[in-house]
Amino acid sequence: MSEAPCQTEETVGLFAGQHVLAELSGVSADLLDDEQFLRHALGEVLTQADATVLEVISKKFDPQGVTVLALLSESHASIHTYPEVGSVFVDVFTCGTRAKPALAVQLLADALGAAHVSTDVVTRGIKEHAA
């Protein structure tokens, strides 16, 4: 039987999670325009942060920029790059308590060599149960 959205084996039925919104800057334009690197990097950092990656899709834009979306058992993650200004928006939402979205964002910032990281964390759902 498949799991319902926002459920993991540790937190079945838990309607709570962490939504990390981030802006990274000071990143190489070449990296921010490299679709394959970004797909691989997002998948890897999510796995290292204990998220379950189901699928990764992406779109490279002309003349520049890439959007990458990851479907997770725990919810989703996305990156939207702006090579012309060396910046990227990152959005990672995981429900339950196993996955660590803030860690995923930090690992991605490290992989991109970001000079500056700004994050906001939103606790969603039932507040007293969120990680």
Side-chain angles (χ1 to χ4, degrees):
M1 174 160 68
S2 66
E3 295 178 356
C6 289
Q7 295 182 343
T8 65
E9 55 200 38
E10 291 89 358
T11 60
V12 173
L14 184 61
F15 181 70
Q18 295 277 299
H19 200 153
V20 180
L21 307 169
E23 297 176 22
L24 314 180
S25 60
V27 179
S28 160
D30 290 339
L31 282 183
L32 293 180
D33 213 31
D34 186 336
E35 183 179 8
Q36 292 308 311
F37 171 80
L38 293 166
R39 286 177 62 107
H40 177 76
L42 184 61
E44 284 295 310
V45 302
L46 290 165
T47 298
Q48 290 173 23
D50 294 327
T52 307
V53 179
L54 301 175
E55 186 174 356
V56 177
I57 62 172
S58 61
K59 170 67 176 160
K60 185 168 181 352
F61 295 95
D62 184 28
Q64 60 200 0
V66 177
T67 292
V68 182
L69 305 172
L71 176 64
L72 309 175
S73 288
E74 300 81 6
S75 195
H76 70 276
S78 65
I79 58 177
H80 306 280
T81 73
Y82 298 82
E84 67 275 19
V85 294
S87 297
V88 57
F89 290 120
V90 181
D91 178 32
V92 182
F93 176 49
T94 62
C95 41
T97 57
R98 188 183 76 179
K100 302 168 197 74
L103 175 60
V105 169
Q106 186 56 58
L107 292 170
L108 184 62
D110 293 347
L112 292 171
H116 184 263
V117 179
S118 173
T119 60
D120 290 308
V121 179
V122 179
T123 299
R124 299 184 66 186
I126 301 170
K127 307 293 190 245
E128 63 269 14
H129 295 295

